[in-house]
Every structure is written in structure tokens, then in C-alpha cells.
Amino acid sequence: MGLPTHSFTSDRNCGDSSERTFREKRRLPPHKNLLLARFQLTPIALRDRFESHQRRPGAMWADLVFELRSYLDNWLAGMKVGDFAALKELLVTEQIKKEHQVN
């Protein structure tokens, strides 16, 4: 889910939209940026996927680690967690929500 940190040297070598860097994504026409934003997972969906994600049969463990890190990185970015104190607050809040869910 995370964006690659490298940039492409030529627009013709960009490949699909998941390979575009943030700067290249911003250069897209406004309607394409709107569509990309529409299909972006919410922080809550990313948290749920992080918590429930499992290794696919036959997949390498490295793939699982990559996918989990991607979900976590994007969840934390979506929640605007920038330091360890904010991470602790988020985890405590999430734990309280789990313990006291209204059914």
C-alpha cells in the first residue's frame, strides 16, 4: 500500500498508478486525483486489515511482513501519528474502544 521512495526518470516508464510517487500523483489531472482519493482506504479500514491480516497459503513470510508494515504505516499516517507519544495515545484509545464496545 505504501508508495515507493524512488522516482522514475521518465513518464513513459511509470507503469500502473500504484507505482507512482507522491509527486507524480500530484501532477495527475484533478479528476484522477479525486478517483485515487476515493479508493484510498480509511485509517479505520487499514487498522482492521492490519489486525486481521493473515499469511496467504504458499506466500512467503516476507510478503506477510511487507503487507503488515504497509497497513501499519498507512494507518499511522492516516491518523497523523508522528511520534512515540502520539502512538501510545492511539494504542490506549484503541484498547479502550475494544474493551467498551457498545453492542
Side-chain angles (χ1 to χ4, degrees), residues 9-68:
T9 57
S10 170
D11 286 338
R12 61 195 155 115
N13 294 331
C14 284
D16 68 17
S17 63
S18 66
E19 295 175 346
R20 296 180 195 269
T21 64
F22 179 71
R23 279 188 222 126
E24 290 167 333
K25 186 173 127 180
R26 288 191 314 182
R27 288 190 296 186
L28 292 174
H31 65 281
K32 288 188 179 181
N33 279 333
L34 182 63
L35 286 172
L36 286 173
R38 172 76 171 111
F39 292 105
Q40 184 91 20
L41 292 174
T42 65
I44 294 169
L46 290 162
R47 180 206 59 212
D48 292 343
R49 288 191 180 192
F50 172 74
E51 290 178 347
S52 65
H53 193 63
Q54 297 179 355
R55 183 173 158 250
R56 293 181 313 272
M60 295 176 51
W61 286 102
D63 293 336
L64 176 64
V65 171
F66 175 82
E67 292 160 357
L68 287 172

Side-chain angles (χ1 to χ4, degrees), residues 50-92:
F50 172 74
E51 290 178 347
S52 65
H53 193 63
Q54 297 179 355
R55 183 173 158 250
R56 293 181 313 272
M60 295 176 51
W61 286 102
D63 293 336
L64 176 64
V65 171
F66 175 82
E67 292 160 357
L68 287 172
R69 283 184 179 154
S70 178
Y71 289 139
L72 180 61
D73 288 344
N74 287 298
W75 171 38
L76 296 177
M79 297 300 290
K80 296 178 179 35
V81 173
D83 59 14
F84 188 67
L87 175 61
K88 290 192 303 188
E89 287 299 316
L90 175 63
L91 293 176
V92 168

